[in-house]
Amino acid sequence: MGQEEGAVKRRILAEATRLGVLLNPEALSILIENYDEKSLQMVLSKLAEEAKKGSGIVVSKETVENVIGKSREANISIGVHTQPLAKDIEEKIEILKSYDAKQVSDDLEARKQYFADRCSKISSMLRSRADMSPYYPLRKACSLPDRSEGKTIVMVYEKRENYIVVEDMDFMTKILIPKDCDKYLREKIGRLLPDSVVGVSFYVSNSRLFCKSIIFPDVPIRSFNTAEEDVSVILTSDIHYGSQKFSEKAFLKMVKWLREGGVTEREQEMSSRIKYIIIAGDLVDGIGIYPQQEKELNVRDLKKQYTGLSNLLSQIPEHIKIIVIPGNHDAALRAIPQPPIFDEYAEILEDNGNIISLSNPCMVSLHGVKFLVYHGTSMEDIATFAKNASYDRPENAMEIMLQLRHLAPVYGSRTPIITNGEDKLVIEEVPDVFHTGHVHVFRSGVYREIKLINSGTWQERTKYQEQLGIMPTPNIAAILSLKNGSVSQVRFE
Ligand code: D5M
Ligand code: FE
Ligand code: ZN
C-alpha cells in the first residue's frame, strides 16, 4: 500500500471509529477506492444509520455499495402535494447547454485534437482525486524499477481476457491483469469501454505493468437538488409519429390526462402539478432510417409527420412547456452532438405547441434541478462492449456513462460522433436527473443520488425489433416531482 493510500485508510478508520461504524475489509477497500474527503462524513453517517437499522453491527460491502450509489431501483412513489397548481406557478427554465449546427471540419488533425480534449478533460477530473498519487505519465510508469507502484491515466485501446492495451497522447503499452485478480477488479474491467479514459493503479514486475485497480473518474457523491415549487415534469421519448405502430390512442389518453386529470383523486393531483414535458428524441419515425421502412409507415412525408405530431401536442394545456431534442429518427444531422431539429420542421411543432427545441445532448435547469437529456444511441455500443449492460437494463449503461463521465466513449462503432476538436460529450457538469430514451424500455434507477430515467416509447413492437429480440414497454410516462425528487410511472392503456 502506498503512503497516500495508507493515509486515506487511516483517515477513514478514524472517522468511522468516531461515528461508531465497524467496517469489514471489503467495505473498507471500497471506501478507500471511492475516497472523497468532502463526502466522507455524509457517507459514514449514512452507514452508521444503516447499522442502527439492524442490518448487522459490521458494515458489509453491499451496504457500502448501496450507500455510495450502486444503481438501485428508484423509489416509485407518489408525493402528497399542497397548493398552488402548476398553471399558477411561474416558469423557471434555464438552458445550460445546447449545441448549434456549425460548419465542421472532421479531418485527422481535428480528430486528434478531439481525443486530446477528451483525455485532458477527464484527466483533470481524475487528477483532482486524492487517490491518484503518486502519479506517473504512462511512458514514465513503464520505465520504473521492479516492485514500484503508482497511478497513471490511460485511454483504453482494447480489452482482452488477460490484459488491456492502453495509450495516452504520447505512449502505448499493455497492462496485464494479474491471474489472482479479485472479483471486484474483474467487474470494473467488465465496465471499461474502448476509448474511455480511466485511472489505473499499477505495480511493476519483470519490467511489465500489472493492474492493481481501475479508478473511474466517476461523479461525486452529493444530494439531489430540490425545487421550492411543487411542480412536476413528464419525461418521455420515442413517440415515432408516422409509424404504423405508433399508439395514438394511448398518447391521446396522456394528453387527456393532462387536460382533465385521471380518474382517481391522486391522479388528478399528479396531473395538476405537471409544468413541463421533456421528449428525449425520436419524435417521429422519419423516412429512410432503415431499409424498407416505408412499408411500416402510416405517414410517408416527413413534414406531415411533424404536422401530425404538432396537432397532438397542441392539445396539451398551454401552461405546460414542452422541451424536445432530436433522436436518430428525427429531421436533424445524425452525428452527436446533434444540433436541434432542422428549423423548417421544428417550426411546424412551434406553430401549434408550446415548444423549446434543443440539441441532443443538452442540459437544462428547471427550477434549479439540472437535467441532462440525451437520446442514447451509444447504448448500443455500451451493450456490445460492457459486461452488465443490455437493452433491457438501460440504467446500467447510464451508470457506466456517469462512471466514465462520457455519453458515448466508443468511437468508430455504431454511434456517429462529431470529432471536430472539442469533446462535448464529456459529462463535465453533474446533473440531478439523467434522462435518456432510444432502447424503448421504461426503466428508472438512482446512481449517487442522480435520478436515472430511460423513458420508454409510444411505439408498439415492430417487426425489426422482433428480429432483434427487443421487447419494448410502450405507453408509460415517467413523472418526476421537482419538489421532492420522487419518480412515478403512469400507464396509458
Ligand atoms: O431504436 C429502437 C430499438 O432498436 C432500440 O432498442 C435500439 C434498437 N436498434 C436500432 N437500430 C439498431 C441497429 N442498427 N442494430 C441493433 N439495434 C438497433 P430506434 O432508434 O427507435 O430505431
Ligand atoms: Fe426510438
Ligand atoms: Zn432511437
Side-chain angles (χ1 to χ4, degrees):
M1 184 179 293
Q3 225 180 357
E4 302 289 330
E5 216 167 300
V8 166
K9 183 176 167 184
R10 282 193 298 279
R11 168 81 190 103
I12 294 172
L13 286 173
E15 195 59 29
T17 310
R18 196 177 69 75
L19 293 164
V21 176
L22 290 174
L23 300 162
N24 82 10
E26 279 176 316
L28 178 62
S29 51
I30 297 173
L31 285 173
I32 294 173
E33 199 151 328
N34 289 281
Y35 170 72
D36 170 29
E37 180 56 37
K38 276 183 258 149
S39 60
L40 180 65
Q41 260 196 16
M42 183 180 84
V43 171
L44 286 169
S45 306
K46 281 192 182 171
L47 289 174
E49 268 169 42
E50 288 299 310
K52 267 194 215 129
K53 272 189 220 153
S55 48
I57 308 167
V58 181
V59 172
S60 67
K61 166 178 173 261
E62 287 72 25
T63 313
V64 175
E65 283 176 341
N66 268 334
V67 167
I68 66 170
K70 192 168 182 280
S71 177
R72 55 188 195 269
E73 282 288 295
N75 244 349
I76 302 276
S77 67
I78 292 157
V80 178
H81 299 285
T82 49
Q83 296 294 332
L85 304 178
K87 67 173 169 16
D88 305 320
I89 290 173
E90 209 182 312
E91 219 171 76
K92 273 196 199 165
I93 306 178
E94 218 182 315
I95 298 162
L96 302 174
K97 259 179 206 157
S98 180
Y99 307 103
D100 287 333
K102 275 203 199 104
Q103 199 63 29
V104 294
S105 69
D106 209 347
D107 57 15
L108 200 61
E109 190 48 39
R111 199 174 309 159
K112 245 170 99 180
Q113 272 173 23
Y114 168 85
F115 283 107
D117 189 48
R118 177 184 295 196
C119 286
S120 128
K121 281 177 175 156
I122 300 180
S123 292
S124 46
M125 292 175 194
L126 282 161
R127 291 296 299 274
S128 70
R129 293 178 54 127
D131 55 354
M132 274 309 293
S133 73
Y135 165 80
Y136 301 96
L138 194 56
R139 186 186 288 276
K140 173 86 182 126
C142 288
S143 66
L144 292 173
D146 267 12
R147 291 209 289 276
S148 305
E149 294 193 3
K151 316 285 162 77
T152 187
I153 295 176
V154 298
M155 182 182 275
V156 176
Y157 180 80
E158 195 183 5
K159 258 194 321 187
R160 292 292 184 93
E161 186 57 26
N162 300 320
Y163 61 89
I164 38 179
V165 182
V166 300
E167 60 188 330
D168 62 10
M169 298 316 289
D170 169 53
F171 198 68
M172 188 170 200
T173 189
K174 265 185 199 173
I175 298 184
L176 304 170
I177 301 163
K179 285 210 177 69
D180 59 352
C181 140
D182 62 18
K183 233 174 56 190
Y184 193 62
L185 176 58
R186 268 278 162 228
E187 211 264 335
K188 273 196 145 174
I189 292 171
R191 285 166 179 256
L192 278 186
L193 298 174
D195 311 320
S196 58
V197 178
V198 294
V200 177
S201 164
F202 66 85
Y203 62 89
V204 185
S205 177
N206 290 325
S207 304
R208 294 188 301 179
L209 288 190
F210 283 82
C211 180
K212 260 178 82 181
S213 67
I214 303 283
I215 303 152
F216 290 147
D218 220 323
V219 288
I221 301 162
R222 59 199 232 318
S223 310
F224 180 84
N225 270 321
T226 50
E228 277 168 24
E229 297 85 357
D230 197 351
V231 288
S232 300
V233 188
I234 289 200
L235 304 178
T236 190
S237 64
D238 298 273
I239 301 172
H240 289 266
Y241 190 94
S243 156
Q244 286 167 2
K245 294 294 172 103
F246 165 56
S247 20
E248 183 163 86
K249 221 167 117 190
F251 195 81
L252 276 170
K253 275 192 183 163
M254 179 176 73
V255 174
K256 186 164 184 271
W257 188 88
L258 290 169
R259 292 167 72 93
E260 300 166 15
V263 183
T264 63
E265 216 172 288
R266 211 165 59 169
E267 284 196 5
Q268 294 276 357
E269 172 69 19
M270 279 174 86
S271 129
S272 68
R273 297 290 156 198
I274 309 291
K275 183 89 189 151
Y276 307 94
I277 300 181
I278 304 180
I279 311 177
D282 284 1
L283 277 63
V284 300
D285 208 47
I287 310 278
I289 306 293
Y290 56 85
Q292 315 251 328
Q293 186 195 15
E294 57 293 347
K295 288 188 188 153
E296 298 184 34
L297 288 177
N298 255 347
V299 184
R300 293 198 180 83
D301 177 280
L302 197 52
K303 284 216 163 138
K304 286 189 181 142
Q305 291 183 359
Y306 281 97
T307 309
L309 177 64
S310 183
N311 289 338
L312 296 183
L313 297 180
S314 66
Q315 296 171 55
I316 290 173
E318 245 177 51
H319 69 271
I320 299 177
K321 197 92 197 179
I322 306 169
I323 297 167
V324 304
I325 66 163
N328 49 313
H329 284 251
D330 284 293
L333 297 173
R334 278 298 305 278
I336 56 171
Q338 205 177 10
I341 293 171
F342 295 134
D343 285 348
E344 54 183 310
Y345 298 92
E347 277 159 14
I348 300 174
L349 295 176
E350 282 153 8
D351 272 352
N352 265 327
N354 208 356
I355 308 275
I356 300 179
S357 170
L358 302 176
S359 68
N360 167 37
C362 71
M363 192 141 189
V364 269
S365 153
L366 302 176
H367 300 257
V369 180
K370 275 186 217 163
F371 288 73
L372 173 58
V373 189
Y374 167 51
H375 181 59
T377 3
S378 56
M379 284 200 235
E380 290 175 35
D381 292 319
I382 299 179
T384 307
F385 290 100
K387 274 228 165 84
N388 71 340
S390 57
Y391 282 19
D392 56 347
R393 291 283 179 274
E395 74 279 21
N396 290 346
M398 296 170 85
E399 185 182 307
I400 291 175
M401 292 180 209
L402 290 170
Q403 290 177 330
L404 298 175
R405 294 292 285 264
H406 203 284
L407 292 173
V410 185
Y411 178 74
S413 193
R414 293 201 208 183
T415 313
I417 295 173
I418 298 176
T419 54
N420 67 328
E422 194 189 337
D423 190 348
K424 294 169 179 150
L425 300 170
V426 173
I427 305 174
E428 291 186 78
E429 201 168 341
V430 180
D432 295 299
V433 183
F434 184 18
H435 174 199
T436 56
H438 188 58
V439 291
H440 294 204
V441 175
F442 180 98
R443 295 285 295 181
S444 68
V446 183
Y447 179 67
R448 299 199 162 180
E449 304 290 320
I450 301 170
K451 312 286 172 194
L452 311 177
I453 295 162
N454 191 276
S455 56
T457 180
W458 298 87
Q459 186 188 39
E460 303 289 342
R461 198 179 195 202
T462 62
K463 279 210 190 86
Y464 183 58
Q465 288 161 2
E466 261 174 52
Q467 284 163 9
L468 292 170
I470 292 167
M471 187 53 89
T473 57
N475 314 332
I476 304 173
I479 296 172
L480 180 117
S481 158
L482 294 180
K483 173 109 177 140
N484 62 21
S486 71
V487 178
S488 319
Q489 52 171 312
V490 182
R491 274 169 201 275
F492 296 95
E493 280 161 345

